[in-house]
Amino acid sequence: LQRSQQLKHSAWLALAPHRLNSGLPVNIGVLFVPQQEAWVVERMGKFHRILEPGLNFLIPLLDRIRYVQSLKEIVINVPEQSAVTLDNVTLQIDGVLYLRVMDPYKASYGVEDPEYAVTQLAQTTMRSELGKLSLDRVFRERESLNANIVDAINQASDCWGIRCLRYEIKDIHVPPRVKESMQMQVEAERRKRATVLESEGTRESAINVAEGQKQAQILASEAEKAEQINKAAGEANAMLVKARAKAEAIQLLAAALAQQNGSAAASLSVAEQYVNAFSKLAKDSNTLLLPTNTGDVTSMVTQALGIYTTLTKPQAVKTQDEMPPARDDPQ
């Protein structure tokens, strides 16, 4: 097991860009350090100082450049790893790690290989954080998961002089059966939403129809009420107009009768109406009620005029005739 771990470590070091002992600058006394690099110098095997970018002078044979640290941001691919979620689902996850060397001294003497150490720490932290979440929450809380991994790495890598800037999950591979069940769940959720939306639409439609019928009934009742009010007002106005017209006609008739020869004109009108009434009897009904002297028109007119004269006698004369005679006073 130790041999296999050493082989894996050696293979990873062969792929990862490490800057430990290979390609170190040779001390010739005068050295030029590039920008965004830090050279760690040892004097007689002991840490002496860190060379800043620019011109630097060293003592040959006594001073030796032991480590070269890059101060740029470093991008490391975290290999794919398996992790088990809270609901016992095995996932295959890989990511990308962004680092920066903050302290060249700690990065050189704090750990043998800082990049390898941070990568292993990222993998173990990822497994630990995934074990706290269910499968559904892994996809929903991806950003918070990345933030938790960064915090955990920074707490452990502070003594190594390395700071983790961010961690991003690239791919999450789900087992085929779990993927199929997730697709079925998504389809069921979509069907549920469609059913709920359809039921809500039906409910809203029924409410709108009922509301429309209610408003229609209210408007119809109000229209009927207004129609009845208008009809009653029209009938009342018509009755008033008819009464006024009848009263005016009676007044005009009375005034005409009071004039000279008014009685004769009225007698003539009654006689004409009497004759017209008998002429219409045969047209309106099969049963006729005729006087005995229908052939004598003169007698018919005389009879009609007699009826009119009887109806138009003064009431004062009738009243005077009906009063009893006065008795004599004994005194």
Side-chain angles (χ1 to χ4, degrees):
L1 181 59
Q2 292 179 355
R3 180 60 179 171
S4 62
Q5 290 179 354
Q6 291 177 359
L7 292 175
K8 290 181 180 179
H9 186 196
S10 301
W12 187 89
L13 290 177
L15 296 175
H18 79 286
R19 301 168 301 280
L20 299 180
N21 297 324
S22 61
L24 295 177
V26 179
N27 183 9
I28 58 175
V30 179
L31 298 174
F32 295 94
V33 179
Q35 184 67 31
Q36 289 297 98
E37 285 191 4
W39 292 3
V40 180
V41 179
E42 293 181 355
R43 177 167 290 181
M44 292 183 293
K46 184 179 179 181
F47 173 74
H48 176 58
R49 66 189 180 102
I50 298 175
L51 301 182
E52 300 293 335
L55 178 62
N56 292 273
F57 298 95
L58 296 177
I59 302 175
L61 300 178
L62 295 180
D63 297 335
R64 179 186 176 186
I65 301 172
R66 181 59 175 164
Y67 300 100
V68 175
Q69 300 291 348
S70 175
L71 303 181
K72 299 178 183 180
E73 187 172 348
I74 305 171
V75 181
I76 301 176
N77 289 323
V78 179
E80 185 177 358
Q81 59 180 336
S82 61
V84 181
T85 61
L86 184 63
D87 48 356
N88 297 325
V89 178
T90 303
L91 302 178
Q92 299 292 330
I93 298 179
D94 55 355
V96 180
L97 191 62
Y98 298 86
L99 305 175
R100 176 173 291 176
V101 176
M102 308 301 296
D103 190 345
Y105 176 80
K106 292 182 178 180
S108 301
Y109 298 99
V111 64
E112 179 66 24
D113 191 342
E115 296 180 3
Y116 178 76
V118 171
T119 303
Q120 295 299 316
L121 181 60
Q123 290 181 345
T124 56
T125 306
M126 170 64 73
R127 294 191 186 97
S128 176
E129 293 296 330
L130 284 177
K132 300 177 183 179
L133 301 176
S134 61
L135 180 61
D136 296 334
R137 293 183 60 190
V138 169
F139 294 97
R140 290 198 304 264
E141 301 181 5
R142 197 164 179 171
E143 294 183 0
S144 62
L145 182 62
N146 294 336
N148 293 336
I149 294 174
V150 170
D151 294 338
I153 292 175
N154 287 332
Q155 292 178 3
S157 63
D158 186 33
C159 59
W160 299 339
I162 297 175
R163 181 172 183 82
C164 179
L165 301 180
R166 56 188 177 277
Y167 181 87
E168 298 293 339
I169 298 175
K170 291 196 300 184
D171 295 322
I172 300 177
H173 301 283
V174 184
R177 292 185 179 179
V178 178
K179 189 174 182 180
E180 292 177 0
S181 63
M182 291 176 62
Q183 291 178 354
M184 295 175 60
Q185 182 179 0
V186 171
E187 292 178 359
E189 187 68 23
R190 290 178 178 175
R191 287 195 298 268
K192 175 184 175 182
R193 292 179 181 177
T195 305
V196 171
L197 291 176
E198 184 178 359
S199 62
E200 290 180 355
T202 304
R203 182 171 66 92
E204 293 293 335
S205 176
I207 292 174
N208 292 335
V209 171
E211 199 67 32
Q213 293 177 354
K214 176 182 176 182
Q215 294 294 332
Q217 291 179 359
I218 293 174
L219 294 176
S221 62
E222 291 179 354
E224 185 178 0
K225 177 181 177 182
E227 182 181 1
Q228 292 179 359
I229 292 173
N230 294 333
K231 185 176 180 181
E235 292 177 355
N237 292 331
M239 292 175 66
L240 290 175
V241 171
K242 289 180 180 179
R244 290 173 183 173
K246 188 174 182 180
E248 292 179 357
I250 292 173
Q251 291 178 359
L252 293 175
L253 181 60
L257 292 175
Q259 293 180 1
Q260 187 179 3
N261 298 325
S263 299
S267 300
L268 178 60
S269 177
V270 170
E272 290 178 353
Q273 293 180 5
Y274 188 81
V275 173
N276 291 331
F278 275 102
S279 66
K280 293 180 180 180
L281 287 176
K283 297 179 181 180
D284 296 337
S285 176
N286 296 328
T287 303
L288 300 178
L289 297 176
L290 299 176
T292 56
N293 53 353
T294 56
D296 190 357
V297 179
T298 303
S299 62
M300 294 173 60
V301 173
T302 303
Q303 184 179 0
L305 293 175
I307 295 171
Y308 173 74
T309 302
T310 304
L311 294 175
T312 56
K313 283 184 178 181
Q315 296 295 330
V317 176
K318 184 178 179 181
T319 304
Q320 186 177 2
D321 294 340
E322 292 177 356
M323 290 178 62
R327 294 183 300 176
D328 294 337
D329 190 358
Q331 295 181 359

